[in-house]
Amino acid sequence: MAGVEAFLKQHKDLKTTENGKIRCTLTGHEMPARLELLQAHIEGKKYRRAKWDQYDFTQYEPYIVPHKKDKTKLHCLLTKRDLNRIPEEVEGHVNGRRYRNLLALSKAKSDQMNGVVATSEAEPTEQAEEEADSFFEQFEDEDGAFSDKDDPDMDDFVESEEEEEEEEE
């Protein structure tokens, strides 16, 4: 019984009920006060997913926002990638090289637009600038303006020129 009490202290979302059973506040699951059952519940898929739903993803805004169509995903505005709502996956993305480089570049450009001199910490490296330029070049048309025609994620939103010609006829 001492092991169960110590386990309950470690996991704040497990509460003791009046009838002596343990109730999980996240999943609503009620189980006998046995350590092996509690451990099995904590390691289970239903509990893990309930924990993910409780996670605060707003700390990553304004660059990582909820996906417009799929509520189970997030979307990164810097890298244009869809992310699952799994805290470890989002942490890995935010700590990744591509995200950090584009974030530094974005901050440097916003500071430059606001007339603020960037500190050496926020300045992107030459490699980061080259990577960002090559990334954004794929969306530029002949005039240097951004175009969504070649972005596969925008296929639902942008009609191709062939479809427009067919509609005109």
Side-chain angles (χ1 to χ4, degrees), residues 45-77:
K45 182 174 17 175
K46 189 174 181 182
Y47 178 81
R48 193 172 356 127
R49 288 195 176 166
K51 277 291 242 198
W52 293 345
D53 292 340
Q54 299 295 318
Y55 193 80
D56 182 27
F57 290 105
T58 58
Q59 63 184 328
Y60 301 113
E61 288 181 356
Y63 299 111
I64 296 181
V65 296
H67 195 276
K68 289 182 180 177
K69 292 183 179 179
D70 191 353
K71 293 181 181 181
T72 64
K73 296 188 182 276
L74 297 168
H75 183 73
C76 178
L77 299 174

Side-chain angles (χ1 to χ4, degrees), residues 116-135:
V116 177
V117 177
T119 63
S120 61
E121 228 176 82
E123 287 185 31
T125 62
E126 287 182 30
Q127 180 185 0
E129 288 181 7
E130 289 173 9
E131 186 175 317
D133 289 341
S134 65
F135 176 78

Side-chain angles (χ1 to χ4, degrees), residues 29-109:
H29 185 70
E30 198 170 285
M31 61 203 112
R34 292 193 347 227
L35 186 59
E36 62 272 0
L37 293 176
L38 296 174
Q39 289 172 336
H41 178 69
I42 294 295
E43 294 169 2
K45 182 174 17 175
K46 189 174 181 182
Y47 178 81
R48 193 172 356 127
R49 288 195 176 166
K51 277 291 242 198
W52 293 345
D53 292 340
Q54 299 295 318
Y55 193 80
D56 182 27
F57 290 105
T58 58
Q59 63 184 328
Y60 301 113
E61 288 181 356
Y63 299 111
I64 296 181
V65 296
H67 195 276
K68 289 182 180 177
K69 292 183 179 179
D70 191 353
K71 293 181 181 181
T72 64
K73 296 188 182 276
L74 297 168
H75 183 73
C76 178
L77 299 174
L78 290 175
T79 61
K80 307 291 189 228
R81 300 225 171 158
D82 294 337
L83 307 167
N84 292 319
R85 285 186 178 261
I86 300 173
E88 294 85 15
E89 187 173 320
V90 176
E91 289 280 336
H93 179 75
V94 169
N95 294 328
R97 185 193 56 190
R98 176 179 287 140
Y99 179 85
R100 285 183 293 151
N101 288 343
L102 290 172
L103 180 64
L105 184 66
S106 173
K107 288 188 185 225
K109 284 187 178 183

Side-chain angles (χ1 to χ4, degrees), residues 4-12:
V4 172
E5 291 174 11
F7 194 79
L8 292 176
K9 287 180 183 177
Q10 290 176 351
H11 301 281
K12 302 293 184 199

